[in-house]
């Protein structure tokens, strides 16, 4: 049996919704407390700078692009003096669709609906992260994984009208469906993740890498049919949108890459990021930032190596590896890389296991201190001049 099948064997069935919610309650309450602290810090910091915290969360940077798609549809673009073309076709449609739905059935504006979607999706993401970690390890590790995801320095993005929380929720629950053999559910959620962000292909890859080997071993026709259906469903969201963009722009299947090129974004294997880091060492104190970036990347690589050594299920390793690779190897928006890494939650599992081994009298003050620092940093970061 594979490691995935060994973990799944013997699980007679998932608990009902009330039981699952009760089991996840400590993680969800802890998550809500951390995020509430972050929003309070943001409100205080923004008020001191005569800014609106709510505007920062719902009506700046990418949030504006999403609400414009929700309100006006696709076709809006900005032509910059240097010739670059920023088209809203770069933004995948699921979040704008939900914003439009929220505005249609409630008195909320598109921005308000985006904020509500983000809050609900962040809780769903926290629940999904807990459920995956609880399945792979145990309940205490699941709680610690959620708390670590909440206290990330860029955790404030989880409360913004951005697509990170929505994507992470869909990815986490798709991965849980994979781990528990619910192939059609996994495929549907992967397709929705693919309608949310370009990195949805990481979820599709996780579904495929788990489903393909079973065809050579499992002779159960019904199970094989479900696996095949899940595999076919998984890429439909991302592929459908990319092909639609190619048709709309008249540039064929690679039209979406041309749209991204208008934002000076693409995949270059990390060359541009390496040049960005190297440029930091031409002056001081910028060199300190360069050292910090190198240390940060080294820690990410180290965490991934530990995940491999701890024999995380292959779908989690594939998913986290692709998310991290795409984030680090994008050719622009270097300040956004920490945000792009938010969905790579399996990388937190080794830290969660370490935290879970501590006594509560030690772990609780540690988490509270990190949460306070994260809240202050998030407020400072979001009140800066550039997009997160």
């Amino acid at each position: 049996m594979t490691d995935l099948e060994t973990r799944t064997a013997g699980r007679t069935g998932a608990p009902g919704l009330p039981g699952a919610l009760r089991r996840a309650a400590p993680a969800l309450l802890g998550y809500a407390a951390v995020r509430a602290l972050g929003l309070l810090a943001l409100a205080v910091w923004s008020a001191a700078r005569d800014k609106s915290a709510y505007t920062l969360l719902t009506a700046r940077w990418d949030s504006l692009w999403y609400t414009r798609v929700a309100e006006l549809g696709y076709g809006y673009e900005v032509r910059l003096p240097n010739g670059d073309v920023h088209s809203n076709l770069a933004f995948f449609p699921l979040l704008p669709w939900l914003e439009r739905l929220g505005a249609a059935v409630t008195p909320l504006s598109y921005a308000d609906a985006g904020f509500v979607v983000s809050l609900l999706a962040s809780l769903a993401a926290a629940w999904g992260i807990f459920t995956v970690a609880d399945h792979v390890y145990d309940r205490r590790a699941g709680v610690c994984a959620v708390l670590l995801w909440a206290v990330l320095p860029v955790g404030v993005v989880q409360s913004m009208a951005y697509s990170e929380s929505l994507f992470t929720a869909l990815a986490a629950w798709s991965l849980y469906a994979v781990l528990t053999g619910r192939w059609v559910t996994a495929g549907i959620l992967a397709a929705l993740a693919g309608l949310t962000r370009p990195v949805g292909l990481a979820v599709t890859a996780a579904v495929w890498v788990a489903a393909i080997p079973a065809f050579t071993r499992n002779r159960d026709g019904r199970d094989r049919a479900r696996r095949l259906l899940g595999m076919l469903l998984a890429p439909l969201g991302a592929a459908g949108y990319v092909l639609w963009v190619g048709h709309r722009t008249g540039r064929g299947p690679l039209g979406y890459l041309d749209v991204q090129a208008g934002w000076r974004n693409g995949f270059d294997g990390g060359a541009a990021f390496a040049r960005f880091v190297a440029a930091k060492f031409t002056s001081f104190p910028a060199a300190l930032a360069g050292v910090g970036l190198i240390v940060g990347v080294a820690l990410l690589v180290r965490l991934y190596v530990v995940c491999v050594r701890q024999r995380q299920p292959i779908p989690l390793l594939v998913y986290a590896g692709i998310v991290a690779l795409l984030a680090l190897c994008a050719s622009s928006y270097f300040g956004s890389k920490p945000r792009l890494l938010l969905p790579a939650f399996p990388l937190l599992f080794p830290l969660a296991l370490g935290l879970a081994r501590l006594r509560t009298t030690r772990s609780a003050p540690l988490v509270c201190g990190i949460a306070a620092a994260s809240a202050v940093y998030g407020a400072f970061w979001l009140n800066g001049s550039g997009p997160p």
Side-chain angles (χ1 to χ4, degrees), residues 256-280:
Y256 184 76
L257 298 181
D258 293 334
V259 171
Q260 286 283 14
W263 288 78
R264 293 187 178 268
N265 199 18
F267 185 88
D268 65 356
F273 184 46
R275 291 193 296 269
F276 173 78
V277 174
K280 296 293 183 183

Side-chain angles (χ1 to χ4, degrees), residues 7-304:
R7 295 177 190 276
T8 304
R11 308 265 176 143
T12 57
L17 181 61
L21 185 56
R22 283 195 299 271
R23 185 169 181 83
L28 297 180
L29 291 173
Y31 177 80
V34 172
R35 293 297 346 117
L37 177 63
L39 293 177
L40 176 61
L42 176 64
V44 172
W45 192 294
S46 301
R49 294 174 60 87
D50 198 26
K51 291 184 178 181
S52 166
Y54 190 69
T55 298
L56 293 176
L57 293 169
T58 64
R60 290 193 70 187
W61 308 301
D62 289 9
S63 298
L64 287 175
W65 286 91
Y66 283 120
T67 56
R68 287 189 182 116
V69 173
E71 182 178 6
L72 304 173
Y74 285 105
Y76 176 81
E77 62 183 26
V78 175
R79 295 183 178 273
L80 304 183
N82 64 357
D84 290 345
V85 178
H86 288 184
S87 167
N88 65 359
L89 290 169
F91 295 87
F92 276 50
L94 186 57
L95 178 57
W97 286 349
L98 293 175
E99 290 178 341
R100 181 177 297 177
L101 176 63
V105 301
T106 70
L108 298 176
S109 68
Y110 295 110
D112 295 337
F115 182 63
V116 171
V117 169
S118 181
L119 290 183
L120 295 177
S122 67
L123 288 170
W127 193 356
I129 291 169
F130 166 81
T131 305
V132 171
D134 180 30
H135 179 84
V136 176
Y137 302 108
D138 55 37
R139 186 186 191 189
R140 187 174 177 87
V143 172
C144 291
V146 170
L147 292 177
L148 288 174
W149 192 66
V151 302
L152 288 173
V154 295
V156 68
V157 174
Q158 298 162 16
S159 301
M160 297 179 68
Y162 274 36
S163 61
E164 273 73 18
S165 289
L166 179 60
F167 175 80
T168 304
L170 294 167
W173 285 105
S174 179
L175 289 170
Y176 177 68
V178 167
L179 296 176
T180 54
R182 295 167 172 85
W183 299 104
V184 177
T185 300
I188 292 172
L189 292 173
L192 292 173
L195 283 171
T196 307
R197 296 189 63 79
V199 75
L201 67 89
V203 190
T204 296
V207 174
W208 280 53
V209 77
I212 287 177
F215 284 100
T216 63
R217 298 186 305 271
N218 194 329
R219 299 301 179 183
D220 185 338
R222 294 181 63 182
D223 181 74
R224 295 181 74 176
R226 287 192 293 267
R227 289 173 187 257
L228 178 60
L229 181 56
M231 290 174 61
L232 294 176
L233 288 170
L236 292 184
Y241 181 69
V242 167
L243 291 175
W244 178 80
V245 170
H247 173 73
R248 182 182 176 97
T249 60
R251 297 171 185 172
L254 300 182
Y256 184 76
L257 298 181
D258 293 334
V259 171
Q260 286 283 14
W263 288 78
R264 293 187 178 268
N265 199 18
F267 185 88
D268 65 356
F273 184 46
R275 291 193 296 269
F276 173 78
V277 174
K280 296 293 183 183
F281 291 93
T282 60
S283 63
F284 187 86
L288 297 178
V291 171
L293 289 169
I294 292 174
V295 170
V297 172
L299 287 175
L300 279 174
V301 174
R302 174 62 178 170
L303 280 175
Y304 190 78

